[in-house]
């Protein structure tokens, strides 16, 4: 993957101010600290560590020829989805990227969410994904591909924890039976105290995933993601 998707636009990367650059240069060695801007959770839908994790997990799925298409539940303007499509194209894979979202937003953006997503893809020279617009309760599982090799669930809205837990359970129950052996499911916002640095943005994710997997052979693996948090499991059978 080229560095374009790690630390440069279209991912929002705040530039360090002149004073911070000065401090980093002059005082960093002396005190052993390096100041970096925090990601903005309203604009930055993932961070550098997560992009690296996405790359390696999807790269492994495609390299190991796991059967099925790529799915994202909760795509917003496509910051994560662009990485998935980039990896698909790097491999020259014929896997299709399916994105599911209501494409409604409370945030102010220029144009509709769907238009912004498509323009992000076009500007990055990526093939357009297959869009499934609507609430998950209407689009999944009916519109899911028959086989899934990789799925990213990212439907956090920072609202009621138990409502979000129920939505997560609905998503997991919908995708799990279609995941091939060896398929990967990534759970955005799965938070384990001590593994990640800042807040637990959507506690419903861990509540739902732990409950869902409690009777199943798959184990959840928490990934380091600095100020953000996520985890994954790999389908065993
Ligand atoms: C945190 S954003 C996803 C960020 C995205 N992965 C990205 O890379 O930009 C969560 C998304 O989930 C969607 N969402 C939440 N609940 C939903 C539901 N019940 N049906 C469809 N979409 C839903 C929201 O519309 C929102 O775009």
């Amino acid at each position: 993957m080229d560095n374009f998707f790690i630390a440069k636009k279209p991912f929002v990367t705040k530039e360090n101010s002149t004073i911070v650059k000065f401090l980093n240069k002059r005082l960093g060695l002396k005190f052993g600290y390096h100041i970096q801007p925090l990601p903005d959770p309203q604009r930055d839908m993932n961070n550098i560590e997560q992009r690296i994790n996405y790359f390696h997990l999807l790269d492994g799925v495609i390299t190991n020829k796991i059967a099925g298409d790529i799915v994202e539940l909760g795509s917003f303007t496509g910051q994560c989805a662009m990485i998935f499509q980039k990896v698909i194209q790097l491999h020259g894979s014929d896997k299709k990227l399916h994105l599911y979202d209501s494409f409604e937003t409370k945030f102010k953006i220029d144009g509709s969410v769907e238009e912004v997503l498509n323009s992000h893809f076009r500007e990055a020279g990526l093939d357009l994904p297959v869009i499934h617009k609507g609430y998950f309760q209407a689009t999944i599982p009916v519109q899911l591909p028959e086989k899934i090799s990789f799925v990213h669930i990212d439907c956090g809205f920072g609202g009621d924890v138990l409502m979000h837990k129920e939505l997560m359970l609905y998503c997991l129950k919908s995708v799990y039976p279609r995941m091939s052996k060896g398929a990967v499911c990534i759970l955005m916002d799965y938070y384990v105290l001590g593994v990640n640095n800042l807040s637990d943005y959507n506690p419903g994710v861990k509540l739902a995933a732990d409950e869902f997997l409690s009777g199943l052979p798959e184990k959840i693996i928490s990934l380091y993601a600095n100020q953000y948090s996520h985890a994954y499991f790999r389908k065993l059978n």
Side-chain angles (χ1 to χ4, degrees), residues 76-138:
F76 194 47
T77 57
Q79 289 187 4
C80 298
M82 289 168 73
I83 298 162
F84 307 148
Q85 186 58 37
K86 179 83 175 173
V87 181
I88 293 170
Q89 290 181 216
L90 277 175
H91 281 274
S93 167
D94 60 4
K95 289 187 186 302
K96 293 266 171 297
L97 175 62
H98 294 262
L99 305 183
Y100 301 78
D101 202 299
S102 62
F103 294 111
E104 292 168 355
T105 184
K106 56 185 179 196
F107 302 129
K108 198 171 156 21
I109 58 170
D110 292 333
S112 76
V113 181
E114 218 177 330
E115 278 164 13
V116 175
L117 183 147
N118 283 329
S119 67
H120 277 162
F121 271 67
R122 279 197 207 94
E123 280 160 24
L126 297 170
D127 297 343
L128 294 183
V130 185
I131 301 274
H132 303 262
K133 184 174 180 171
Y135 290 113
F136 301 145
Q137 293 83 343

Side-chain angles (χ1 to χ4, degrees), residues 136-193:
F136 301 145
Q137 293 83 343
T139 55
I140 66 168
V142 274
Q143 292 181 27
L144 285 173
E146 223 159 274
K147 284 187 183 163
I148 298 172
S149 59
F150 178 98
V151 49
H152 184 227
I153 308 181
D154 184 6
C155 55
F157 46 78
D160 182 80
V161 173
L162 290 182
M163 264 175 65
H164 190 231
K165 177 191 169 192
E166 286 312 310
L167 184 64
M168 284 299 301
L169 278 171
Y170 182 78
C171 292
L172 285 163
K173 283 177 191 161
S174 302
V175 295
Y176 183 85
R178 299 192 188 213
M179 288 172 67
S180 307
K181 183 176 177 182
V184 161
C185 175
I186 307 186
L187 302 153
M188 175 62 106
D189 295 330
Y190 186 100
Y191 177 87
V192 177
L193 188 67

